[in-house]
Amino acid sequence: MENSIFVLGFWDYFAFFGYFAVLSFIGWWFGRKKNDSSSDYFLAGRTLPWYVVGSSYIAANISTEHFIGLIGAAVIYGISVATGEWSTVIAFTFLIWLFIPYLLTSKVYTTPEYLEKRFNKKTRLIFALVSILANVFAFMGPVIYGGSLILIEFFNLSPINACIIIGITTGGWAVWGGLKSVAFMDVLTILIMVFGGLTVTFLGLVYLGEGEGIFSGFSKMIDVNTGGIAWAKDWIDINVTNILKGSNVGDNYNRLSVIQPLNHDTNPWTHWVFSFFYIGLWYTVINQTMVQKIFAAKDMYHARAGMMFASFLKLLLPVIVVIPGLIFFAMKPEFLSSSDWSFQSEQANKTYIVMVNILVPTFMKGILLAALFGAIQSTVSSVLNSTSTMFTIDLYRDVYKKSESEGHYINVGKVSGIIFLGTSVLFAIILSTVTKVNLFVLIQALYTFIAPPFSALFLLGMIWKRVGGKDALVTIIGGFAMAGLLKYLEFGPLQDSTSTIANIIKPFANQGLITWVFSMILCIGSTLITKKPTGYQVSDDLVFNINGEALKEGLGTKWYNSIFLWWLLCVLMLVGIIVTFSVIL
């Protein structure tokens, strides 16, 4: 299959810039009102309805990690990379039923602020600092780098110029208008991304069908990905050694199974089953970038309903950002013939761009590029807004200047946002010039290093009143020490080893699980020998209580807006997906 040169026509440019004109108008309209308080700027005055909460949450989550990294990873690894998206429904379940009531009744601006109320100030400061660093180097930097690949491919820009342009065009409204501008812009972004993503999937299946329709194309996609065609079987047989650590050429590998062995490079079954505990708790519940939308909800019902809406979007997401990778594999891209695994992984990052070029007609091409840039814009804006919020509220105001005017804090938020954006652009430039790693793999590896200690602490601290501030510090420090040790073993003594232990430790998902288990044990052990916390730190507003009134709020008043009914439907759909991609196919 030849990859033709990317050419944009007049109507493509019209659609692309038209989208940004509408998006900018929305950003201006909802940010035009003067922000009189920190709550207005950082939390949209706590006025967001459920559809904005859910849309903005998912829009912040979808980025080049998905359209560039995840689709590319699906070309290489198959359907298993979708498990991170589908398993999020489990995390959202805990968020909807357990954590939202306590996050909202605590009346905080940020999750670090919540952690101070529950544990102590040191825990708040450590979490805020780590979160800011993670936002710059694990979120914004890689996302801007992924966006630069698009500009390089489309407009033949240098990596440096591409990163600078992406940074400026995606972060501006977050600095100017605050969360309200970002959140309402995200509603349009989600609409365009879903429509555009489904279009690529549909056209890809039509292409594979070769005139016989979409069902014929789907059948061919399944056949090729299961090795039903000679070249595909040969590719799987040869490259299984790169996918399953310690395997031999010709060993079995099922590209259409969500259940993979422990030695899988990126998605062992432990990732599917336990990822909520060592990544999901951090990413969905205490990650300020995500949770800031929940803090900004009108009330408990809109917060819960917003996350219910987000759950259904998560079930749909792999159809948009994973299935195209399976389709592209079936189209037999030329780079799969290379014997260089790193080259294949790097070239797979361009999958979405190439598919748009090959499959999509003029005007629609502009819409799809707008969807891709919308994903970048929404993520950078949300991360930038949350980063400046934590810096201003948790570090500047709480530690340095506690009695300044509201306008002063808003200005600090804007200036710090510009500085963080510039730092992220510099990191993106480094990534674009020195690395060839798959974007999805890079980001997931960073997540599994950062998340486990905080996930363990938050889970135990939420359900067990015995956990105190000293236990929190022991868990965080010890957890990061274990994460660092595992990385040292991966790239040091075990780098060239093919032993069973090495094959289990090397996958970053397994490292995340090991670190989480160690952090849980450490926290429990510390808790049993330290003094029991007292007072507000263990009040019913901060720690789980089965009889707590907050758990019963915002569940809906009619059958059609019942949170329980929609949650049950979502869980049944998730079970159906697991059965389909582990038993049927």
Side-chain angles (χ1 to χ4, degrees), residues 377-441:
Q377 180 273 328
S378 61
T379 299
V380 173
S381 293
S382 291
V383 177
L384 189 60
N385 181 260
S386 66
T387 306
S388 63
T389 300
M390 285 187 290
F391 175 81
T392 304
I393 302 299
D394 297 303
L395 299 181
Y396 184 85
R397 189 181 73 177
D398 189 63
V399 176
Y400 184 54
K401 289 192 175 183
K402 297 184 177 181
S403 303
E404 296 294 331
S405 67
E406 293 290 284
H408 176 82
Y409 294 126
I410 292 172
N411 288 333
V412 169
K414 292 180 178 181
V415 172
S416 64
I418 293 173
I419 294 172
F420 291 130
L421 181 62
T423 305
S424 300
V425 169
L426 289 176
F427 184 59
I429 291 172
I430 294 173
L431 290 177
S432 67
T433 54
V434 303
T435 184
K436 292 185 178 181
V437 69
N438 179 275
L439 192 60
F440 168 78
V441 174

Side-chain angles (χ1 to χ4, degrees), residues 451-488:
F454 294 116
S455 293
L457 172 63
F458 189 77
L459 178 61
L460 287 173
M462 175 64 76
I463 63 177
W464 192 15
K465 291 185 177 182
R466 188 69 175 74
V467 180
K470 290 182 179 179
D471 310 315
L473 296 176
V474 168
T475 303
I476 294 170
I477 295 171
F480 278 117
M482 173 57 74
L485 173 63
L486 293 173
K487 284 298 177 188
Y488 165 74

Side-chain angles (χ1 to χ4, degrees), residues 271-282:
H271 184 69
W272 168 247
V273 176
F274 297 110
S275 62
F276 159 70
F277 294 101
Y278 60 82
I279 293 182
L281 266 170
W282 167 77

Side-chain angles (χ1 to χ4, degrees), residues 173-212:
W173 288 114
V175 174
W176 184 78
L179 182 60
K180 198 165 190 177
S181 286
V182 172
F184 279 91
M185 289 164 68
D186 286 343
V187 176
L188 175 64
T189 299
I190 279 292
L191 290 173
I192 295 297
M193 282 194 294
V194 170
F195 173 73
L198 290 176
T199 299
V200 170
T201 301
F202 174 79
L203 292 177
L205 293 174
V206 170
Y207 180 93
L208 289 181
E210 298 178 328
E212 296 183 9

Side-chain angles (χ1 to χ4, degrees), residues 124-348:
R124 175 182 185 175
L125 294 178
I126 292 173
F127 185 75
L129 286 170
V130 171
S131 296
I132 289 172
L133 291 174
N135 284 356
V136 172
F137 298 108
F139 280 88
M140 284 192 290
V143 168
I144 292 171
Y145 157 61
S148 73
L149 297 177
I150 304 163
L151 292 187
I152 293 169
E153 187 74 16
F154 294 166
F155 304 110
N156 197 31
L157 294 176
S158 69
I160 294 177
N161 289 335
C163 289
I164 292 173
I165 291 173
I166 289 290
I168 293 174
T169 56
T170 58
W173 288 114
V175 174
W176 184 78
L179 182 60
K180 198 165 190 177
S181 286
V182 172
F184 279 91
M185 289 164 68
D186 286 343
V187 176
L188 175 64
T189 299
I190 279 292
L191 290 173
I192 295 297
M193 282 194 294
V194 170
F195 173 73
L198 290 176
T199 299
V200 170
T201 301
F202 174 79
L203 292 177
L205 293 174
V206 170
Y207 180 93
L208 289 181
E210 298 178 328
E212 296 183 9
I214 188 172
F215 294 105
S216 176
F218 182 83
S219 178
K220 181 178 179 181
M221 179 192 76
I222 298 298
D223 187 36
V224 175
N225 278 272
T226 52
I229 293 179
W231 74 262
K233 186 178 187 307
D234 290 342
W235 186 91
I236 295 171
D237 287 346
I238 293 171
N239 288 285
V240 66
T241 57
N242 296 308
I243 298 172
L244 302 180
K245 300 298 185 182
S247 62
N248 299 309
V249 172
D251 284 354
N252 180 63
Y253 178 64
N254 186 355
R255 286 175 52 85
L256 292 184
S257 176
V258 295
I259 307 298
Q260 296 294 344
L262 276 174
N263 59 332
H264 192 278
D265 187 36
T266 60
N267 293 87
W269 66 266
T270 50
H271 184 69
W272 168 247
V273 176
F274 297 110
S275 62
F276 159 70
F277 294 101
Y278 60 82
I279 293 182
L281 266 170
W282 167 77
Y283 189 84
T284 63
V285 180
I286 53 175
N287 174 7
Q288 181 66 23
T289 299
M290 302 291 111
V291 179
Q292 192 153 335
K293 282 74 174 171
I294 295 172
F295 287 145
K298 283 184 178 181
D299 54 35
M300 192 79 72
Y301 173 77
H302 283 275
R304 281 176 151 166
M307 293 315 301
M308 198 69 259
F309 179 47
S311 297
F312 282 99
L313 288 175
K314 271 294 187 180
L315 289 181
L316 175 65
L317 195 56
V319 179
I320 298 171
V321 295
V322 175
I323 299 299
L326 304 183
I327 294 171
F328 196 59
F329 181 85
M331 293 166 66
K332 195 181 179 181
E334 291 178 354
F335 65 79
L336 291 181
S337 62
S338 171
S339 59
D340 186 340
W341 179 253
S342 63
F343 175 77
Q344 292 187 55
S345 297
E346 178 191 12
Q347 291 300 305

Side-chain angles (χ1 to χ4, degrees), residues 498-574:
T498 57
S499 67
T500 301
I501 293 178
N503 292 333
I504 291 175
I505 289 179
K506 285 181 180 180
F508 57 77
N510 290 345
Q511 292 179 21
L513 178 59
I514 293 169
T515 302
W516 179 78
V517 171
F518 177 79
S519 299
M520 290 284 288
I521 294 172
L522 196 62
C523 186
I524 293 171
S526 175
T527 298
L528 294 176
I529 61 176
T530 55
K531 184 179 178 181
K532 182 180 179 180
T534 58
Y536 183 70
Q537 289 181 322
V538 291
S539 69
D540 290 343
D541 289 335
L542 298 176
V543 185
F544 176 72
N545 174 15
I546 191 65
N547 297 315
E549 289 299 318
L551 293 175
K552 305 171 187 177
E553 294 180 19
L555 298 177
T557 56
K558 306 290 184 180
W559 70 266
Y560 54 81
N561 68 358
S562 168
I563 298 298
F564 177 79
L565 177 63
W566 288 107
W567 169 79
L568 181 61
L569 178 60
C570 189
V571 170
L572 291 175
M573 291 174 66
L574 176 63

